[in-house]
């Protein structure tokens, strides 16, 4: 499943401060995943940010196991900015059955977000995620960096994922 980048639609001025995200990004080397309750792992990931002229950015993230290439985590959703502010929101659906809203701030080419709402399917796997934080920034060398931390029942907020990407289009 892909989200087409509509080159014919003009970028809505409401999301102009996020134009640095637009396009497709591929991990330039495997990312590192860890958490106290799991074995460390390496993964690759493709990010795709697009728009269709609405005041939102569409996104899809697809992660794969670095060695076996098997699909892992997938997320898709929307990014919104509160007009006239630097307040930003990610609305996310994950293939694990988790749905989340993360809110935070855009500072230059850097996003800092924290979950404000989490919902899951009635048969989601335990232990349940209790909190997520995400930091995305465009580095001076043109690479995009993402760090995600999470808290589970009985586990405090701890770094879970770290990866860098290069734009591919």
């Amino acid at each position: 499943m892909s989200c087409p980048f509509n080159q014919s639609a003009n970028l809505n001025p409401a999301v102009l401060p996020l134009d640095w995200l637009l396009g497709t990004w591929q991990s330039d080397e495997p990312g590192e995943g860890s958490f106290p309750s799991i074995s460390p792992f390496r993964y690759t990931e493709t990010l795709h940010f697009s728009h269709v002229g609405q005041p939102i950015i569409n996104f899809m993230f697809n992660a794969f196991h670095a060695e076996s290439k098997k699909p892992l985590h997938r997320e898709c959703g929307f990014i919104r900015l509160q007009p006239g502010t630097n307040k930003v929101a990610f609305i996310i659906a994950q293939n694990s059955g988790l749905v989340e809203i993360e809110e935070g701030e855009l500072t230059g080419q850097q996003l800092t977000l924290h979950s404000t709402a989490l919902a899951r399917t009635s048969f989601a796997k335990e232990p349940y995620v209790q909190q997520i934080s995400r930091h995305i920034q465009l580095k001076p060398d043109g690479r995009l960096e993402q760090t995600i931390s999470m808290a589970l029942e009985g586990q405090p907020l701890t770094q879970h994922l770290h990866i860098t990407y290069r734009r591919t289009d």
Side-chain angles (χ1 to χ4, degrees):
M1 183 173 162
S2 66
C3 297
F5 180 67
N6 185 348
Q7 305 231 7
S8 63
N10 290 328
L11 183 63
N12 189 295
V15 291
L16 191 59
L18 296 170
D19 67 349
W20 53 275
L21 285 172
L22 292 173
T24 301
W25 300 80
Q26 179 66 46
S27 50
D28 56 354
E29 57 187 52
E32 301 288 334
S34 63
F35 203 73
S37 57
I38 61 172
S39 297
F41 63 96
R42 292 167 14 104
Y43 68 103
T44 61
E45 189 169 39
T46 301
L47 311 181
H48 185 71
F49 296 94
S50 63
H51 75 92
V52 293
Q54 295 178 312
I56 57 171
I57 300 290
N58 308 310
F59 70 85
M60 181 166 289
F61 300 171
N62 297 305
F64 299 87
H65 191 275
E67 286 77 33
S68 72
K69 310 296 185 222
K70 288 184 179 177
L72 295 173
H73 190 82
R74 293 179 176 238
E75 297 181 358
C76 63
F78 308 96
I79 307 171
R80 300 181 56 125
L81 277 169
Q82 183 180 16
T85 74
N86 67 336
K87 303 277 186 228
V88 65
F90 275 42
I91 301 101
I92 303 168
Q94 299 184 19
N95 64 335
S96 63
L98 182 67
V99 178
E100 60 177 297
I101 295 175
E102 295 177 11
E103 294 185 8
E105 294 185 349
L106 169 65
T107 306
Q109 295 178 325
Q110 179 173 292
L111 293 160
T112 303
L113 303 147
H114 303 282
S115 56
T116 60
L118 298 170
R120 61 190 55 81
T121 59
S122 62
F123 49 89
K125 190 172 104 178
E126 294 184 39
Y128 297 141
V129 173
Q130 300 295 308
Q131 183 181 6
I132 295 173
S133 70
R134 181 182 312 258
H135 184 82
I136 298 172
Q137 76 176 63
L138 186 63
K139 306 293 271 182
D141 65 3
R143 291 182 307 142
L144 192 67
E145 178 180 56
Q146 179 170 223
T147 303
I148 297 175
S149 297
M150 70 177 182
L152 301 180
E153 291 175 330
Q155 293 280 347
L157 191 65
T158 304
Q159 183 174 311
H160 175 47
L161 303 171
H162 180 262
I163 193 165
T164 59
Y165 314 87
R166 291 205 183 277
R167 191 184 305 272
T168 61
D169 64 359

